[in-house]
Amino acid sequence: MANMDLALQTAISQFNLTGSHADINVYQAYSRCDLYPDGTTKSSLTHAFNGKDFLSLDIDSKTFIASVPQALIYKSIREKDIIWLETLVSFYKKGCFDRLRMFLEYAPGVRNKKAPQVRLFERQSAGSTLLTCHVTGFYPRAVQVKWIGADLQLVEDEMNHVLPNGDGTFQTRSSVIRPEENTGDQRYSCVVHHSSLEGNITVTWGKEEKPFRLYVWIPLGCVFIVTVVGLVIRGFCYNKEDTETEYTSYNVTCNLPQ
């Protein structure tokens, strides 16, 4: 607090804001320490007077940088105290990151990451064929979704909309208009990048999906045949008092190629 009081008084004096000009003056100091997932670090310390930059700490050179000439006197005062300056620089080089790592150790929930699940869908909208890449179940919120393919047109009203799920994870989607001509040999891929992944998730919509659609019809055809046979048998057994009907359910899981 003593340093801040000295900084405020020095700034007021250097800007000649005493006497009738002594209105409300504000001196601020703000700092941050960033610890990135790859282990790299970054820190900064900046002072401001009445909302404008006044002084900043150059951690590597262990000196203060005056943003305005009026900060030169306070810069000189701070740099004369060598012991205090070494302690300050040491904190922004190491101390604050030790505290961050300790916090992460005792509060692991803040760094939990969940990888996204990616699915592709085809739908019709306003006479056009849309391919939609649905990305869900990821944490933290930041995610990048892009499409790769010839002549694709992005649907702009779906871009950059990241929505929360009920379990604390997030979801988003990105749609493109697929060209109607010459799509037989074209492949379209949705590429998702997220901090929980070492690389990317790439899901491709192309000709390999078309045979898969035939397999979807197989269980549906079986359902139809079973239904018809069941109706025929029931017609022969209409005079029975109790008729037991058995329903067969078909679960189809679409594992898109990745």
Side-chain angles (χ1 to χ4, degrees), residues 173-187:
R173 68 178 184 177
S174 175
S175 296
V176 291
I177 299 176
R178 191 187 70 181
E180 297 297 333
E181 298 180 357
N182 301 323
T183 60
D185 297 327
Q186 291 291 336
R187 296 186 183 183

Side-chain angles (χ1 to χ4, degrees), residues 30-36 40-46 57-60 88-97 100:
Y30 49 95
S31 61
R32 61 182 296 163
C33 297
D34 299 326
L35 179 61
Y36 296 95
T40 58
T41 59
K42 182 180 180 181
S43 59
S44 63
L45 170 63
T46 305
L57 175 64
D58 188 327
I59 298 173
D60 294 329
L88 183 68
V89 170
S90 176
F91 176 79
Y92 284 105
K93 276 190 172 182
K94 184 178 183 296
C96 63
F97 301 112
L100 278 175

Side-chain angles (χ1 to χ4, degrees), residues 229-246:
V229 173
L231 291 175
V232 172
I233 294 175
R234 184 175 181 179
F236 284 107
C237 303
Y238 69 94
N239 57 339
K240 291 186 177 181
E241 294 181 357
D242 298 323
T243 301
E244 295 182 357
T245 304
E246 180 179 357

Side-chain angles (χ1 to χ4, degrees), residues 138-258:
F138 56 89
Y139 184 87
R141 185 179 187 276
V143 67
Q144 294 179 356
V145 182
K146 66 178 181 178
W147 280 91
I148 297 177
D151 302 322
L152 291 176
Q153 180 181 348
L154 283 174
V155 179
E156 295 183 358
D157 60 351
E158 293 185 358
M159 297 175 62
N160 302 321
H161 290 172
V162 179
L163 304 175
N165 290 322
D167 59 356
T169 62
F170 296 90
Q171 64 168 302
T172 187
R173 68 178 184 177
S174 175
S175 296
V176 291
I177 299 176
R178 191 187 70 181
E180 297 297 333
E181 298 180 357
N182 301 323
T183 60
D185 297 327
Q186 291 291 336
R187 296 186 183 183
Y188 309 106
S189 298
C190 176
V191 181
V192 178
H193 178 72
H194 188 256
S195 61
S196 63
L197 306 171
E198 293 185 0
N200 298 325
I201 293 180
T202 301
V203 181
T204 301
W205 182 278
K207 62 181 181 180
E208 64 269 33
E209 278 79 18
K210 294 181 181 179
F212 181 80
R213 297 178 186 177
L214 297 177
Y215 293 112
V216 175
W217 286 102
I218 292 176
L220 294 179
C222 293
V223 172
F224 176 76
I225 294 173
V226 170
T227 302
V228 172
V229 173
L231 291 175
V232 172
I233 294 175
R234 184 175 181 179
F236 284 107
C237 303
Y238 69 94
N239 57 339
K240 291 186 177 181
E241 294 181 357
D242 298 323
T243 301
E244 295 182 357
T245 304
E246 180 179 357
Y247 296 91
T248 304
S249 62
Y250 293 83
N251 296 321
V252 181
T253 303
C254 299
N255 295 319
L256 298 177
Q258 298 185 20

Side-chain angles (χ1 to χ4, degrees), residues 87-144:
T87 302
L88 183 68
V89 170
S90 176
F91 176 79
Y92 284 105
K93 276 190 172 182
K94 184 178 183 296
C96 63
F97 301 112
D98 290 341
R99 293 186 182 184
L100 278 175
R101 294 186 182 97
M102 182 178 65
F103 176 77
L104 292 174
E105 181 180 355
Y106 289 98
V110 301
R111 61 176 179 178
N112 284 345
K113 295 181 179 180
K114 293 187 178 180
Q117 302 174 12
V118 184
R119 297 289 179 89
L120 300 187
F121 303 94
E122 182 182 278
R123 57 193 175 97
Q124 299 294 321
S125 177
S128 300
T129 301
L130 273 65
L131 296 180
T132 297
C133 181
H134 185 243
V135 186
T136 187
F138 56 89
Y139 184 87
R141 185 179 187 276
V143 67
Q144 294 179 356

Side-chain angles (χ1 to χ4, degrees), residues 63-101:
T63 59
F64 280 94
I65 299 175
S67 301
V68 291
Q70 291 82 355
L72 290 173
I73 291 180
Y74 186 59
K75 162 185 164 68
S76 177
I77 295 173
R78 297 296 292 268
E79 291 178 349
K80 285 181 180 178
D81 192 341
I82 303 300
I83 297 178
W84 175 87
L85 184 59
E86 288 286 349
T87 302
L88 183 68
V89 170
S90 176
F91 176 79
Y92 284 105
K93 276 190 172 182
K94 184 178 183 296
C96 63
F97 301 112
D98 290 341
R99 293 186 182 184
L100 278 175
R101 294 186 182 97

